Amino acid sequence: MTQKGIYSAGVLLIVVAMLSVSGCASAAASEDAKDAINKTLVGHNLTYYSIAGKPMNYTITSEDIVSIEPVTYKDANAWKVRVGKSLPWDLTMSSDGTEILYVDQLFRT
């Protein structure tokens, strides 16, 4: 192999190694955020109103967290968390998963 070929192979190896390390780091960060989302939401009450206008509480359990997706909210990284099945909400959470930024009730009473 020529010196140019060895150099190209070395550069390729370094690029592949950097991509795999960055992929692991972002996956770990996502898992940390997802853990924080679970800790923040489990036990949290969402209030909605019955057709008669009576306030009702929905307490979130770990089984109620249906999906977690990355989104952009007000030009910042955030998470969209779908909560509930028959009474669903979309909660927008901070990038670290510790704060609810916006609540969208997806059902009408």
Side-chain angles (χ1 to χ4, degrees):
M1 189 179 282
T2 67
Q3 193 168 16
K4 185 176 180 180
I6 293 172
Y7 175 77
S8 297
V11 168
L12 180 63
L13 183 61
I14 290 170
V15 169
V16 169
M18 288 174 64
L19 287 174
S20 17
V21 169
S22 67
C24 293
S26 64
S30 295
E31 287 305 313
D32 289 344
K34 289 176 183 181
D35 288 343
I37 288 168
N38 278 301
K39 288 178 184 174
T40 300
L41 292 182
V42 172
H44 182 79
N45 285 319
L46 294 170
T47 302
Y48 65 100
Y49 295 87
S50 71
I51 197 163
K54 179 181 175 187
M56 309 287 288
N57 284 323
Y58 183 92
T59 303
I60 301 171
T61 66
S62 59
E63 292 81 28
D64 292 323
I65 299 173
V66 177
S67 63
I68 302 173
E69 301 174 14
V71 294
T72 301
Y73 180 75
K74 295 186 178 181
D75 297 325
N77 292 332
W79 297 98
K80 181 176 91 171
V81 182
R82 174 69 52 96
V83 173
K85 294 179 180 115
S86 60
L87 301 174
W89 282 267
D90 277 343
L91 306 180
T92 303
M93 310 255 331
S94 60
S95 62
D96 64 358
T98 60
E99 182 182 359
I100 299 171
L101 304 173
Y102 180 75
V103 177
D104 186 16
Q105 179 178 314
L106 301 177
F107 62 95
R108 302 293 169 231
T109 55

